[in-house]
Amino acid sequence: MPVGGDASRHLSLCVGCGDFALADALVNIALFVPLGLAFALRRARAGRALVWIVLTTVTVETLQYVVVRGRTASVGDVIANTIGGALGLAAPRVLRWVLASAPRVARATSAAAGAIALVVAAALALQAIHPPPSLHWTRHAPVLRRGFEPFTGFVSQVQLGGLPFAEGETRALERRDSVQLRIALRSGRPPERLAEVLQLWTPAGHGWVWIDQRGTNLRTHVTSRADDWRLRGHATWASGSLPAAAGESVSVRIALQRFRYDIEVEHGGAVMKKIVTVSPGDGWRLLVPFERQRQRERWSLTLTALWVGALLFPLGLFAQRHSRKLVVGAGIGAAVYFTAVPFLVGCAALSLAGWLGAAAGYASGAAAATPTVGDWVGRVNAWVGAETP
């Protein structure tokens, strides 16, 4: 959809540019994997299939430039889409090669288990919140970025750990495991675009927490390592939490821990609270661009289930192809891992949706490797050329 109603054309010739360059590239790769698989199912020649893949992505980007205004046509997207299509095209051949040998199946099972542990650990490390040794804060930036407009309200007071915190003052954090912020402000005219309200800075001059407003919605961004890797970070919307008129008193409280942050907005006796926790099933947050918090809430349970299920599917597939004993052992090992991680690192426990997704993904992988569960599995085995164990 067009961004912010902008009707202008945008063309990006830069590869790897943008705040979320890696996230966008990974999503664009995944987007075209099914197209490559479709060509593989049709047993199309690799060269001809790649030509059609390239033509498809070029057509999409051209339409974004010519027809769907407000979006950016990107050469980087064409490259990422082509890589995804090529991966999908090659996947059946690679899978057939792995399943043709018992030793390769055993190694693939170990690799799938290691990949699960690595992906979950990396996702948690990228989403963890690490407070700096000290902070200072400023009001909205004097030089506005593209797509921003001035904040017409006024920040009257900031407290850090319950104590007044003057603008420009550098304050050491006594406790870095739990940072408590309180911002008192006078509301301004609800802006049509983003308006910067306040920013908190590290000693190195990097933004750590900043607060923006659009309409009556408040956005809080907390920096994590995901920002350094150009992935989606912690950006939370408190929709409808701010006054629709200027001049009203507003109190914003933010409590930050390593794998959790709480946001509370109060004005006129109304209080809105947001609690965001990070669990081993939340790796999808690094990739999915939700513009409004209510969209994340609507889809979060489904995406958590799909994410964990996708991680467990290959493990179930390869373990079943190896032996029934390994299916049981690998399943127990995965359950122990997802249970132990929250205790080891202090993150939130895997949600019920995550456990259901894990069970469904693992069982689906095991079922796909079992030719006796139905004709559709037989067709899949025929497609990949796998021999019945």
Side-chain angles (χ1 to χ4, degrees), residues 108-110 112-113 116 311-320 330-331 334 362 365-366:
T109 306
S110 300
I116 293 170
L311 290 178
L312 270 293
F313 181 90
L315 182 63
L317 173 67
F318 295 128
Q320 175 66 30
Y362 191 74

Side-chain angles (χ1 to χ4, degrees), residues 86-101 104-105 108 318 384:
L87 290 175
L89 192 62
R93 181 175 298 180
V94 174
L95 185 58
R96 181 171 60 247
W97 177 79
V98 170
L99 297 181
S101 167
R104 287 197 288 265
V105 170
F318 295 128
V384 299

Side-chain angles (χ1 to χ4, degrees), residues 247-378:
E248 295 190 28
S249 297
V250 181
S251 174
V252 181
R253 297 181 181 87
I254 305 174
L256 302 113
Q257 300 177 27
R258 189 180 184 190
F259 290 107
R260 169 176 173 152
Y261 54 98
D262 301 4
I263 301 169
E264 180 181 297
V265 184
E266 179 180 0
H267 73 88
V271 180
M272 174 173 286
K273 296 182 180 180
K274 292 284 184 181
I275 299 176
V276 180
T277 59
V278 179
S279 81
D282 293 333
W284 57 267
R285 292 182 179 177
L286 298 170
L287 306 176
V288 177
F290 281 134
E291 188 67 12
R292 291 286 189 272
Q293 181 65 19
R294 62 177 178 268
Q295 293 176 311
R296 174 171 291 193
E297 292 171 347
R298 184 185 308 159
W299 287 99
S300 62
L301 294 179
T302 301
L303 289 172
T304 296
L306 291 174
W307 174 264
V308 181
L311 290 178
L312 270 293
F313 181 90
L315 182 63
L317 173 67
F318 295 128
Q320 175 66 30
R321 290 292 298 182
H322 186 274
S323 67
R324 292 183 178 180
K325 289 183 179 180
L326 188 57
V327 172
V328 176
I332 293 175
V336 170
Y337 177 76
F338 279 101
T339 302
V341 165
F343 293 99
L344 295 175
V345 303
C347 66
L350 188 64
S351 65
L352 177 60
W355 283 111
L356 293 175
Y362 191 74
S364 298
T370 308
T372 59
V373 299
D375 292 340
W376 69 273
V377 176

Side-chain angles (χ1 to χ4, degrees), residues 33-218:
V33 168
L35 181 60
L37 287 172
F39 278 114
L41 281 171
R42 295 285 297 177
R43 301 192 182 277
R45 294 180 181 178
R48 182 178 296 179
L50 282 175
V51 170
W52 278 107
I53 289 169
V54 172
L55 288 176
T56 302
T57 180
V58 169
T59 301
V60 170
E61 296 303 313
T62 302
L63 289 173
Q64 289 189 155
Y65 182 74
V66 177
V67 178
V68 186
R69 303 295 180 86
R71 289 189 59 87
T72 299
S74 171
V75 174
D77 289 353
V78 172
I79 295 174
N81 292 158
T82 303
I83 292 173
L87 290 175
L89 192 62
R93 181 175 298 180
V94 174
L95 185 58
R96 181 171 60 247
W97 177 79
V98 170
L99 297 181
S101 167
R104 287 197 288 265
V105 170
R107 289 193 293 268
T109 306
S110 300
I116 293 170
L118 180 62
V119 169
V120 170
L124 290 172
L126 290 169
Q127 294 180 89
I129 298 171
H130 299 282
S134 62
L135 287 170
H136 69 278
W137 69 273
T138 61
R139 292 177 173 86
H140 58 82
V143 179
L144 297 173
R145 293 175 289 169
R146 175 185 171 185
F148 281 71
E149 63 181 77
F151 174 61
T152 58
F154 181 79
V155 178
S156 55
Q157 186 186 59
V158 176
Q159 294 182 2
L160 178 62
L163 299 175
F165 187 16
E167 183 176 9
E169 172 191 358
T170 299
R171 176 77 62 82
L173 296 180
E174 296 181 0
R175 291 188 57 187
R176 297 177 64 184
D177 59 335
S178 178
V179 179
Q180 307 288 327
L181 296 167
R182 182 185 180 277
I183 300 101
L185 56 89
R186 290 284 181 178
S187 64
R189 172 183 51 82
E192 295 182 1
R193 296 181 295 177
L194 279 173
E196 293 182 344
V197 177
L198 175 143
Q199 295 178 333
L200 285 100
W201 302 89
T202 69
H206 302 301
W208 183 56
V209 173
W210 57 90
I211 300 173
D212 304 322
Q213 179 183 1
R214 182 160 65 192
T216 59
N217 309 311
L218 187 74

